[in-house]
Amino acid sequence: MSVKSDKALTRTGSPKLAAPLLSDVRAMILQAREGVARAVDSGLTVLYWNVGHRIRQDILKEKRAVYGGQIVAALGRQLEMEFGRGFGEKNLHRIVQFAEVFPDPEIVSALRTQLG
């Protein structure tokens, strides 16, 4: 949605308030959007680590088992049908790799707080 120029606002009869008001409201919107993006990034980081950790722990038994790859593929197909391609096999392997690289939940928690 685009805002008409300040000329449209000056026709309202309060040209001195229009520019600061517009500027302040824009700043509030941008700040809120940034906060939402940080919250989403933080939440997804925790979600991905938990999913990767669970797959490593329950399916792969902390190893790279061949049969585990088949289970991850099947899981990915099922999740992809329900939640979209972000949870397909390829991304599940990346999620597992994320949990492998950061095996300590304390590290993930610290990483989560630094996002944004």
Side-chain angles (χ1 to χ4, degrees), residues 49-95:
W49 187 86
N50 284 325
V51 168
H53 180 72
R54 179 73 187 265
I55 291 171
R56 285 191 72 230
Q57 188 177 40
D58 292 1
I59 296 172
L60 303 178
K61 306 292 185 204
E62 305 293 328
K63 298 176 186 157
R64 291 188 174 270
V66 174
Y67 76 91
Q70 295 170 348
I71 294 172
V72 171
L75 178 64
R77 284 191 299 275
Q78 292 173 341
L79 291 174
E80 193 170 30
M81 286 190 321
E82 187 171 350
F83 298 106
R85 67 179 186 209
F87 291 94
E89 178 185 2
K90 188 175 181 178
N91 281 344
L92 285 181
H93 284 292
R94 288 186 180 128
I95 289 169

Side-chain angles (χ1 to χ4, degrees):
M1 183 173 125
S2 69
V3 176
K4 294 181 182 179
S5 70
D6 285 343
K7 291 178 186 175
L9 293 173
T10 59
R11 287 186 227 144
T12 64
S14 58
K16 292 182 181 179
L17 296 176
L21 176 62
L22 178 60
S23 177
D24 289 348
V25 172
R26 281 181 172 160
M28 287 182 227
I29 292 168
L30 293 172
Q31 184 178 12
R33 283 182 176 174
E34 289 173 11
V36 168
R38 278 193 301 274
V40 168
D41 287 346
S42 175
L44 287 174
T45 299
V46 172
L47 170 65
Y48 292 157
W49 187 86
N50 284 325
V51 168
H53 180 72
R54 179 73 187 265
I55 291 171
R56 285 191 72 230
Q57 188 177 40
D58 292 1
I59 296 172
L60 303 178
K61 306 292 185 204
E62 305 293 328
K63 298 176 186 157
R64 291 188 174 270
V66 174
Y67 76 91
Q70 295 170 348
I71 294 172
V72 171
L75 178 64
R77 284 191 299 275
Q78 292 173 341
L79 291 174
E80 193 170 30
M81 286 190 321
E82 187 171 350
F83 298 106
R85 67 179 186 209
F87 291 94
E89 178 185 2
K90 188 175 181 178
N91 281 344
L92 285 181
H93 284 292
R94 288 186 180 128
I95 289 169
V96 169
Q97 187 177 26
F98 174 57
E100 287 173 350
V101 172
F102 299 101
D104 186 353
E106 301 275 333
I107 294 171
V108 176
S109 180
L111 173 66
R112 180 183 61 83
T113 61
Q114 293 179 16
L115 289 174

